[in-house]
Structure formats: C-alpha cells, structure tokens
Amino acid sequence: MSDEIRLSAVTVDCPDAVALAGFYASITGGTLTHAGDGWACVLSPAGRINFQTVPGYTPPTWPDPTSSIMMHLDFMVVDRDAAEARVLAAGATKYDFQPNSEQCYVYADPAGHPFCLTTWEATATPTQLG
C-alpha cells in the first residue's frame, strides 16, 4: 500500500464541454481524447484537463472581488507575445486589467474562465516559488 497522491487532472465546468476542450487542445497542442455526453478530456504535453457541461453555467467575473473565480489555469510559455497571438486566434480574450504584466498576462477562455500565460517559473528563484 502507498499513501501517494498525484494530481490526475483538473476538471473545468463550462456551457459546452466539447467546444471548450477543443479550445484548450488547440492552445496546448493537446489531443481531444474523449468528447461526448457532456464530458470531454484533453491530454496535453503537461497533463490532462477535463471539461464538464453544466446547465445554467455562469462565467466568473474578473477582476471583481465579489465574484468567485474558484480557480484559474496557469500555462508556462517561453515567448508571451507569440503565445498570446496563438490564444487570441483560438478565441481567447485578453483582459484590460493586467496586475502582473511583467511576468504574466491574463485572458478569458471562450467560456469566460480566466487563465494566465506566464514566464514566472522560468525566472523565479526557488525562494520566490515558495
């Protein structure tokens, strides 16, 4: 027996699981491994992201301290400008408010979830990473 715990995937609520999975497969270079019945999975080079269709889904509002985002995804990139062009072409929207623009840009996916393109870990020291 082992008490090991490993992250298997992150599951994201959305109005259309297959459509949002297609967006994330496109921007990560991943593969849509399951699509249907309100559930979709993307296997990317960095791991798996699951998507589930939720009736009545309401996207988070950002930045709004009274609106819960619950979570957001951070993606490591080498060239933020090139990665930005890729996510915008795939259907993302860049937020006007950018609180950490020296290392991170914040976007909304087509379902309204915030996500970041960051170079932070590439330049941070182990102490800065916590």
Side-chain angles (χ1 to χ4, degrees):
M1 287 200 128
S2 171
D3 62 355
E4 178 183 10
I5 299 172
R6 284 187 313 126
L7 180 64
S8 170
V10 173
T11 301
V12 179
D13 290 352
C14 57
D16 183 334
V18 175
L20 195 58
F23 168 80
Y24 280 101
S26 171
I27 70 166
T28 64
T31 302
L32 193 60
T33 60
H34 176 82
D37 300 329
W39 186 264
C41 301
V42 170
L43 184 59
S44 77
R48 192 175 86 210
I49 308 171
N50 299 326
F51 303 88
Q52 63 183 357
T53 299
V54 174
Y57 169 79
T58 302
T61 305
W62 189 87
D64 179 355
T66 64
S67 174
S68 176
I69 292 175
M70 303 300 284
M71 63 163 235
H72 69 270
L73 301 173
D74 289 334
F75 294 97
M76 286 296 303
V77 299
V78 174
D79 182 331
R80 282 185 297 150
D81 293 331
E84 174 175 271
R86 182 175 180 171
V87 301
L88 293 175
T93 305
K94 188 174 183 180
Y95 284 107
D96 291 331
F97 179 62
Q98 296 291 326
N100 299 308
S101 61
E102 64 279 355
Q103 81 247 357
C104 179
Y105 296 151
V106 187
Y107 305 84
D109 68 23
H113 299 100
F115 71 93
C116 297
L117 299 179
T118 184
T119 57
W120 178 249
E121 287 179 343
T123 60
T125 66
T127 303
Q128 290 171 311
L129 294 174

